[in-house]
Amino acid sequence: MHDIDLILTLTGGLAAALVLGFITFKLKLSPIVGYLLAGIVVGPTTPGFTADQHLADQLAEIGVILLMFGVGLQFHLKELLAVRRVAIPGAICQSVVATILGTIVGLAYGWGWAAGCVFGMSIAVASTVVLIRVLADNDDLHTQSGHIAVGWLVVEDLFTVLALVMLPAVFGPGVTSASGVLLAVGIAVVKVAAMVGLTFVVGERVIPWLLDKVAATRSRELFTLTVLVVALGIAVSAAKLFDVSMALGAFLAGMVVGRSQFSLRAATEALPMRDAFAVLFFVSVGMLFNVHALFDSPALIAATLAVILIGKPLAALTIVLLLKYPTRAAVSVAVVLAQIGEFSFILASGGKALGIIDENATNVIIAAAIITITLNPILYRLIDPLEKLLNRFIKTSAPVENGPQHELDDPEASGRHRAIVVGYGPVGKTLARLLRDNQIDPVVIELNMDTVRRLGDDGVRAIYGDALHRDVLDHAGLDKAVGFVLSSSTMHGGKETIRLAREINPDLFILARTTYLRDVAELRAAGADSVFSGEGEVALAMTEFLLGRLGATPEQIDRERARIHAEFSAITQDGSDEAGNGGGGEAHQPQDDAAPSAAVRGNAAGD
């Protein structure tokens, strides 16, 4: 039998993560809790199957690289600048306060200054995954509170990147004196500056050019492979050529790709692999956890929880209130930041690799992460009573700024509706023009980069990506659209796209196009309100033309048209009573096919 340790580690770790992640999700908790528990289950401190820790650590390193690449990819400076008045000072002050409190906890338990400082920095950083999930689940992601919290977290992420760079420079081997620290920091700054300069100067020319060439092949596999090679290649180059962390290299690679027109497609198509490796990262962290630590250091864990659940939220609450923001925004931001996660583990792993913190500190951080991630969604449900309680004692003035709004939020405010058009062939092009002529804003989703660029130059909102991915539909503003049109008859995954669109916006009116009559019932069952078939439209147009040439009267033509529509309706709904309901319940009854078919007959027949 060949050595299958890698396969066993992957299978065992992912299987345990799947089961426990599903259970925690059903319990309304973050799946991260399940992934960490999965690591404990397959770890060396629990009975049963034990995964290979060395292999798990290497897989986790890939997870860290892809996580940081994703952070860079989604880093938008304009979003940070929109809430800079509160996010920048708030995140800096809160991070400093939490780091100081964590350092005091470490010193109280006999650790040195270096260990206490790294421990404090580790518990100062909140989890991006948990924060976004909690805000989205409570419909607060695109509110003032959500914008402040996301901007705040961007600053914390930058703090994490800076800390990762400085850890080896300040606490690395051979650094003993103050002059040695300054020299090491200076060398690190020079290396980082060279890395940043090379990445942005060369990368912003080479990487978009490379992605453009690969995208032109229309091969999804090649595009995904290219994005992964860029992320991993720059990360490894950062470590080998500039002696800086691979996490920093991945972050810079993500920023370069994120500034190009390929950012959305990279996020939707290439980063699902990030999710898989991120799961393995959490599993590997859980494997490091020693269950006995809960009983060996209960007071240390309690003190750490006090910093995360009391110290950090109080600091955030005070800062937001002092800047004259509403009580609700202050409470929401304070509560959603009361947890730690992936970046805490990254910092702790870096500190442990340098010999700064020991296994006991790592155990405490993991235990605190599991507890705070579990409690955070529950605590967020208490913001209403907390707001009322604080309002009895505090009076706040109106906010100075409202934070960044989604690019496509509130289209109705301008008196115009929005419709999403997938595909920009002859039908999609005609539809988009007719929508604009009738005061409806079309948003085109297209996989041809040249078409996207041309539409952008013409002032038409166009998104480069695949409508099969939820992120693309969210970016297009589907939740606020009135119509969704699949204009291509050859689009892959049409049924899945329709189901996803209906899930995002149950009130959406969905139109779909297909080549064959046999596909109409399935598309309707998936959630389409009306489906237009090339076979049916061509047959109808040819029948009308032929009857007209043979001298039929208008009444005869109308009668035959009605009969053909009745036959088509019987064919497409045969044996599928629910198909006509569009999968959308009573609120989405299908329209009469005769009227819309006649309205677009010329386009469908001639396309």
Side-chain angles (χ1 to χ4, degrees):
M1 187 85 178
H2 295 292
D3 188 356
I4 59 171
D5 286 347
L6 176 60
I7 297 175
L8 288 175
T9 299
L10 277 171
T11 305
L14 290 177
L18 172 62
V19 173
L20 292 169
F22 181 79
I23 292 172
T24 52
F25 180 83
K26 286 296 184 181
L27 294 174
K28 307 294 185 183
L29 302 174
S30 171
I32 293 177
V33 176
Y35 305 152
L36 292 170
L37 292 175
I40 297 174
V41 169
V42 301
T45 60
T46 54
F49 170 75
T50 300
D52 188 308
Q53 181 71 61
H54 179 66
L55 290 174
D57 288 342
Q58 293 188 52
L59 295 171
E61 191 67 39
I62 299 176
V64 171
I65 291 172
L66 296 179
L67 273 172
M68 295 303 291
F69 179 75
V71 172
L73 193 63
Q74 296 166 2
F75 174 75
H76 300 295
L77 185 60
K78 63 179 181 181
E79 294 183 0
L80 175 59
L81 293 177
V83 290
R84 63 188 180 280
R85 180 176 174 271
V86 60
I88 295 176
I92 292 174
C93 292
Q94 185 212 258
S95 297
V96 170
V97 168
T99 300
I100 292 173
L101 291 175
T103 303
I104 292 172
V105 170
L107 291 174
Y109 281 84
W111 301 341
W113 281 98
C117 186
V118 172
F119 180 77
M121 287 189 293
S122 297
I123 63 175
V125 186
S127 165
T128 305
V129 177
V130 175
L131 182 141
I132 297 295
R133 177 66 181 271
V134 170
L135 289 173
D137 287 348
N138 291 274
D139 296 323
D140 278 345
L141 187 58
H142 294 298
T143 64
Q144 182 188 50
S145 303
H147 294 146
I148 294 173
V150 171
W152 195 296
L153 206 61
V154 168
V155 180
E156 285 194 356
D157 291 348
L158 294 176
F159 167 80
T160 304
V161 173
L162 179 63
L164 287 170
V165 172
M166 290 301 161
L167 275 180
V170 177
F171 302 114
V175 182
T176 55
S177 62
S179 59
V181 170
L182 291 175
L183 179 61
V185 169
I187 294 173
V189 169
V190 171
K191 289 181 177 179
V192 170
M195 175 68 188
V196 171
L198 185 64
T199 301
F200 279 93
V201 172
V202 177
E204 285 203 339
R205 290 171 172 79
V206 175
I207 294 175
W209 173 84
L210 176 62
L211 291 173
D212 193 20
K213 295 297 182 184
V214 174
T217 66
R218 308 299 290 271
S219 169
R220 180 174 297 175
E221 294 82 4
L222 284 177
F223 186 86
T224 301
L225 182 62
T226 304
V227 174
L228 291 175
V229 168
V230 167
L232 295 172
I234 294 181
V236 173
S237 299
K240 294 296 183 181
L241 300 180
F242 298 93
D243 198 27
V244 299
S245 70
M246 287 191 283
L248 175 62
F251 176 77
L252 294 175
M255 286 188 67
V256 171
V257 176
R259 289 158 63 98
S260 72
Q261 293 174 299
F262 300 93
S263 59
L264 187 60
R265 187 178 179 191
T268 55
E269 292 192 10
L271 289 186
M273 287 195 67
R274 175 199 64 179
D275 297 333
F277 280 101
V279 168
L280 289 172
F281 167 69
F282 291 120
V283 171
S284 73
V285 170
M287 290 175 66
L288 299 173
F289 181 64
N290 186 348
V291 180
H292 303 294
L294 289 172
F295 307 100
D296 295 339
S297 308
L300 178 57
I301 293 174
T304 304
L305 290 174
V307 174
I308 299 169
L309 297 175
I310 300 174
K312 285 174 61 178
L314 281 178
L317 180 72
T318 303
I319 294 164
V320 178
L321 289 176
L322 287 175
L323 292 172
K324 305 297 183 181
Y325 279 78
T327 307
R328 183 176 183 82
V331 174
S332 300
V333 171
V335 172
V336 80
L337 292 170
Q339 39 82 13
I340 60 174
E342 60 272 16
F343 293 116
S344 302
F345 304 141
I346 293 173
L347 281 169
S349 299
K352 187 178 180 182
L354 292 169
I356 304 169
I357 60 175
D358 58 14
E359 186 177 336
N360 188 33
T362 304
N363 279 328
V364 170
I365 291 171
I366 297 170
I370 294 174
I371 295 170
T372 57
I373 290 172
T374 303
L375 290 177
N376 200 252
I378 301 170
L379 294 175
Y380 199 83
R381 297 167 196 160
L382 303 176
I383 59 175
D384 286 332
L386 288 173
E387 178 192 4
K388 293 176 182 177
L389 180 65
L390 279 175
N391 278 334
R392 296 178 183 177
F393 306 101
I394 302 171
K395 291 183 179 180
T396 57
S397 63
V400 176
E401 54 186 289
N402 289 319
Q405 298 294 322
H406 193 283
E407 292 178 69
L408 297 168
D409 277 354
D410 301 324
E412 294 82 1
S414 62
R416 297 170 69 94
H417 293 294
R418 178 193 313 147
I420 313 300
V421 179
V422 180
Y424 202 71
V427 172
K429 184 176 182 179
T430 302
L431 276 169
R433 177 177 57 79
L434 292 173
L435 289 170
R436 289 198 306 273
D437 291 345
N438 288 275
Q439 305 303 305
I440 298 175
D441 290 328
V443 180
V444 177
I445 298 176
E446 174 60 56
L447 272 170
N448 188 314
M449 178 53 75
D450 292 333
T451 301
V452 172
R453 292 193 183 106
R454 187 170 64 252
L455 287 170
D457 293 339
D458 293 339
V460 178
R461 171 74 176 169
I463 295 172
Y464 177 65
D466 193 332
L468 262 173
H469 296 286
R470 187 186 188 98
D471 288 346
V472 173
L473 298 180
D474 287 340
H475 191 72
L478 186 69
D479 58 327
K480 294 185 181 298
V482 296
F484 183 69
V485 183
L486 299 180
S487 70
S488 173
S489 60
T490 58
M491 175 184 172
H492 72 284
K495 291 182 292 184
E496 291 78 9
T497 303
I498 291 170
R499 291 192 187 100
L500 180 58
R502 181 66 71 201
E503 178 186 329
I504 295 172
N505 187 345
D507 298 323
L508 198 65
F509 191 86
I510 301 177
L511 304 179
R513 179 182 170 216
T514 182
T515 300
Y516 304 109
L517 280 167
R518 64 173 180 264
D519 296 330
V520 174
E522 290 185 351
L523 292 173
R524 278 189 164 174
D529 292 286
S530 286
V531 182
F532 305 98
S533 164
E535 284 183 334
E537 297 301 332
V538 171
L540 181 58
M542 292 175 70
T543 300
E544 292 180 2
F545 181 80
L546 182 59
L547 289 175
R549 294 286 290 182
L550 294 175
T553 65
E555 290 77 12
Q556 287 177 304
I557 293 175
D558 288 340
R559 184 174 63 250
E560 291 304 312
R561 181 191 299 126
R563 185 166 67 86
I564 291 172
H565 275 298
E567 291 175 358
F568 288 162
S569 180
I571 292 171
T572 58
Q573 299 192 37
D574 182 28
S576 181
D577 292 338
E578 72 277 11
N581 198 18
E586 294 181 0
H588 303 288
Q589 293 292 336
Q591 306 297 310
D592 178 19
D593 282 342
S597 295
V600 299
R601 182 168 60 251
N603 288 335
D607 198 28

